[in-house]
Amino acid sequence: MKNVLKSPSIICASGSIVVAIMGLLGYLPGMGMISSIKENYIPMAPSTAVSFIVLGSILLILNVKQLSGTKTIIPLIATLLVSLFGILEVAGHFSGIDLNFEDTLVPITGHLNGVPIARMSPATGGAFFLSGVVAFFLILQRNFLKRYTPIQYFTGGLGILVLLISFVFCLAYFYGTPLLYGHHTTIPMALTTALGFMLLSISILTSERDAFPLRLLAGTSTHSYLLRFIIPLSTLSVILGGLTVLYSGQNSKINPAFISAAMTVLIAMVSGFVAALISRHIGGEIDSSKAALKQSEETLQNQSNFLQKAQEIGKIGTWELDILKNELLWTDENFRIFGLPIGTKLTYEIFLDCVHPDDRDYVDTEWKASFSGKPYDIEHRLLVDGKIKWVREKAELYFNEKDECLGGTGVTQDITNLKQAERELQKSEALKNTIIESSPDCIKLLDLEGNLKYMSSGGQKKLEIKDIKVYLNKCWVDFWQGKDNINAQKAVDTAVQGGVGTFIGYSPTETGKPRWWDVIITPLWDVDGKIAQLLAVSRDITEQKQMEENLRQAQKMESIGTLTGGIAHDFN
């Protein structure tokens, strides 16, 4: 729509330039009719033509490309010069002084009914003053003032004024009674000049779609649609009716009253036909709007139901607080979370009463701290029907230009189950740690390189370690010597590959006491199914080793005794 509306602006700006060129060509020998249209009409003044070319060119540039920075200086100066030239023409007419030096710049080429030709009319000067001012502010608005509404109304009003002035002069020419032709001391506005101003003003008024008054006509509302029909219809009705009565009264013997009545009936019929078309179109638009509205309402209702269901499943409610009015709005799920009847009138104080007594000061402090920029993202308890609920609240606040908080929009999530799961997990972790710490075995965690990351307190006691920090992050394999070192490395490598590594080795305590260990190493998997760490469990089998050694010694001694007895028997 915007590009479509730019086309009339470009066409009319170009048309004003064409009319101006015709005005200049009219001063060539044998081409006078181009500038005056009729022999007894005054032609366009050269200064008028130049002014049209300047303003028309500026409007063309504004419609075709965006000016910025220093590129706007020349158009601004040009519009000011046109306005200055026009207002000096008006002032010169009343003072009798050639203030704009037109007499010096352009020679008089003759007279028409005692009025000099090739001179700008004071009415033309006034219209150029207004047009130049409008063009000046259009440039400022495009580059500096942006969408400043008072300027839009000001420029739009001046543009309408120029259009009305040119329309009145054109209408007078069409009626055959041009204005100011009876005053020998006042130069009338030429017909071509009036046409040029009509084109120029239309170009100005259609250059900005969102500006006054075009936005009243270009909108999609019923009001805009009616104006687009009524204004042209009313204008054409008045013009056609006036022209018909005028020409029929001059050239016809029929009673003018009859002609006027006939025109009234004709205009009424045309108006009725147009009104029927308008009502039909508007009715169709209303029906379409109703259908679209109904569809939108159904879509909105479906989305609302979907959102409510999603909030119910996720146990998430939303809220909005207007601080100035102290009005708190909740969704249905928020009411359910807080255990209040849906539709209850809410305030901040009512919300605070729902908070667990031990958490109220904390919640209130955090809320007020958010006024200074601290994020409002907290967890606290509610007391609902004597039971405790845990919720997480998060909000975004909005402020005025003075950085005063006006309110906020946020969410409430019921995290009671999450808190219960956390407590169960904590109990499970505590139980696991108790089992590990109370185990007589030496339980260790190794990384995939075999470095020691953790050792149970039972293991530290077994090894008589005073400060475990001395051993952490060191290679566990190096704690073993000889063949045991090789077997320990093989066991680690097996666990890293996903297997179970085992070996029996000797490793004394920190104080040097002998210890034998039965070691098993297994991989620990993460949630992604990858091996993250190794679990090494070493069981003290020193006593078992000693018993085995004692048994071997006993068996050895028994074998020696048997052998000795056999030898003695042989000697006997």
Side-chain angles (χ1 to χ4, degrees):
M1 184 70 175
K2 186 175 182 179
N3 293 330
V4 172
L5 288 170
K6 274 188 173 294
S7 298
S9 182
I10 294 173
I11 293 171
C12 290
S14 303
S16 66
I17 295 174
V18 171
V19 171
I21 294 173
M22 290 173 55
L24 292 175
L25 293 175
Y27 288 92
L28 297 177
M31 303 185 69
M33 293 294 291
I34 295 179
S35 179
S36 60
I37 307 298
K38 289 182 69 174
E39 186 176 353
N40 59 338
Y41 287 171
I42 195 166
M44 179 187 294
S47 57
T48 300
V50 173
S51 299
F52 273 129
I53 292 173
V54 170
L55 293 182
S57 300
I58 290 173
L59 289 172
L60 273 178
I61 294 172
L62 288 177
N63 281 289
V64 173
K65 62 185 299 184
Q66 179 70 33
L67 298 177
S68 60
T70 56
K71 294 181 180 180
T72 61
I73 295 177
I74 294 177
L76 285 173
I77 294 175
T79 56
L80 289 177
L81 288 177
V82 171
S83 293
L84 181 61
F85 191 89
I87 197 63
L88 289 177
E89 180 64 39
V90 176
H93 170 73
F94 290 104
S95 63
I97 303 173
D98 184 23
L99 297 176
N100 58 7
F101 303 104
E102 186 179 20
D103 293 340
T104 304
L105 297 173
V106 182
I108 297 176
T109 59
H111 290 79
L112 179 65
N113 298 326
V115 176
I117 299 175
R119 287 292 173 270
M120 182 182 289
S121 167
T124 301
F128 271 126
F129 170 72
L130 299 176
S131 301
V133 169
V134 173
F136 177 81
F137 279 104
L138 276 178
I139 298 173
L140 289 181
Q141 184 175 313
R142 288 277 183 92
N143 298 277
F144 305 106
L145 301 178
K146 300 303 179 185
R147 300 295 178 185
Y148 189 53
T149 303
I151 295 298
Q152 291 182 355
Y153 280 106
F154 176 71
T155 55
L158 292 185
I160 293 174
L161 182 58
V162 174
L163 177 62
L164 291 176
I165 292 172
S166 59
F167 181 73
V168 169
F169 275 93
C170 284
L171 201 59
Y173 274 107
F174 291 153
Y175 280 172
T177 55
L179 297 177
L180 303 179
Y181 270 74
H183 300 270
H184 299 293
T185 58
T186 303
I187 302 173
M189 181 185 291
L191 174 58
T192 49
T193 301
L195 291 173
F197 276 122
M198 285 189 67
L199 294 171
L200 192 68
S201 59
I202 293 174
S203 177
I204 290 172
L205 294 173
T206 57
S207 62
E208 291 286 345
R209 177 183 182 273
D210 297 329
F212 174 81
L214 192 60
R215 66 165 174 262
L216 300 178
L217 302 173
T220 57
S221 64
T222 304
H223 175 263
S224 298
Y225 185 80
L226 288 173
L227 286 179
R228 287 198 293 270
F229 276 93
I230 291 175
I231 291 178
L233 179 63
S234 302
T235 303
L236 288 176
S237 299
V238 172
I239 294 173
L240 291 176
L243 289 174
T244 302
V245 172
L246 178 65
Y247 284 107
S248 63
Q250 294 176 352
N251 304 312
S252 176
K253 296 181 180 180
I254 302 175
N255 191 324
F258 176 78
I259 296 176
S260 178
M263 279 301 304
T264 301
V265 172
L266 179 62
I267 292 173
M269 292 176 62
V270 173
S271 299
F273 176 73
V274 172
L277 291 178
I278 293 174
S279 61
R280 180 180 178 183
H281 178 81
I282 293 178
E285 290 290 331
I286 292 175
D287 292 340
S288 299
S289 298
K290 286 183 177 180
L293 180 61
K294 183 178 179 180
Q295 180 65 35
S296 299
E297 289 176 347
E298 291 177 354
T299 303
L300 183 61
Q301 185 61 45
N302 291 335
Q303 291 177 346
S304 178
N305 294 338
F306 175 77
L307 178 61
Q308 288 184 10
K309 192 63 178 178
Q311 289 190 345
E312 183 180 348
I313 295 173
K315 295 185 177 181
I316 298 175
T318 54
W319 53 267
E320 184 176 23
L321 175 63
D322 186 328
I323 292 179
L324 298 180
K325 297 180 181 179
N326 194 20
E327 291 181 353
L328 182 60
L329 302 178
W330 282 355
T331 58
D332 291 354
E333 185 60 24
N334 224 60
F335 279 106
R336 283 190 283 267
I337 292 174
F338 280 78
L340 294 180
I342 296 176
T344 301
K345 189 174 181 181
L346 302 169
T347 63
Y348 177 73
E349 290 73 22
I350 293 176
F351 152 74
L352 211 56
D353 287 341
C354 297
V355 177
H356 192 283
D358 294 341
D359 293 348
R360 284 174 190 167
D361 289 341
Y362 164 71
V363 172
D364 188 51
T365 300
E366 290 297 308
W367 172 249
K368 292 176 179 176
S370 65
F371 297 172
S372 302
K374 183 180 180 181
Y376 185 73
D377 188 354
I378 63 173
E379 294 180 0
H380 63 86
R381 292 167 294 174
L382 302 177
L383 197 57
V384 180
D385 297 330
K387 298 180 180 179
I388 294 177
K389 278 188 177 182
W390 276 93
V391 295
R392 179 191 178 189
E393 289 197 285
K394 186 175 183 180
E396 288 188 0
L397 279 63
Y398 42 89
F399 302 82
N400 61 15
E401 63 278 0
K402 297 180 181 179
D403 288 332
E404 297 172 340
C405 186
L406 301 178
T409 302
V411 296
T412 305
Q413 182 179 12
D414 186 344
I415 58 172
T416 304
N417 293 338
L418 179 61
K419 284 292 183 179
Q420 290 176 347
E422 287 179 355
R423 285 196 295 270
E424 293 298 325
L425 180 60
Q426 290 171 356
K427 292 179 181 179
S428 175
E429 290 290 328
L431 179 61
K432 180 188 71 175
N433 292 334
T434 301
I435 294 173
I436 292 175
E437 294 303 323
S438 61
S439 173
D441 294 334
C442 181
I443 301 174
K444 300 168 288 295
L445 288 178
L446 311 178
D447 61 19
L448 299 184
E449 285 74 36
N451 298 316
L452 180 64
K453 310 303 289 186
Y454 165 81
M455 181 182 290
S456 65
S457 58
Q460 296 177 42
K461 185 176 180 181
K462 282 281 186 182
L463 288 168
E464 297 180 320
I465 295 175
K466 296 180 180 179
D467 186 5
I468 190 60
K469 294 180 181 178
V470 176
Y471 302 94
L472 293 179
N473 298 313
K474 292 183 179 179
C475 184
W476 174 76
V477 175
D478 293 342
F479 298 162
W480 305 90
Q481 303 298 322
K483 291 183 179 180
D484 293 337
N485 178 274
I486 297 173
N487 292 332
Q489 186 62 56
K490 288 181 179 178
V492 169
D493 293 340
T494 301
V496 169
Q497 296 299 320
V500 178
T502 61
F503 72 98
I504 295 175
Y506 172 79
S507 180
T509 67
E510 190 175 68
T511 60
K513 292 181 180 180
R515 287 287 187 272
W516 283 88
W517 306 92
D518 185 1
V519 183
I520 180 170
I521 304 177
T522 58
L524 296 178
W525 310 83
D526 62 15
V527 293
D528 296 324
K530 297 180 181 179
I531 299 175
Q533 289 179 308
L534 305 179
L535 175 65
V537 179
S538 302
R539 176 159 294 178
D540 185 0
I541 59 172
T542 303
E543 292 183 2
Q544 179 182 341
K545 277 288 185 180
Q546 290 176 348
M547 291 176 62
E548 290 175 353
E549 182 64 24
N550 292 336
L551 180 60
R552 281 196 299 271
Q553 290 294 333
Q555 290 175 347
K556 183 178 179 181
M557 294 302 294
E558 182 180 355
S559 298
I560 292 173
T562 302
L563 179 62
T564 302
I567 293 174
H569 182 270
D570 291 339
F571 276 106
N572 292 327

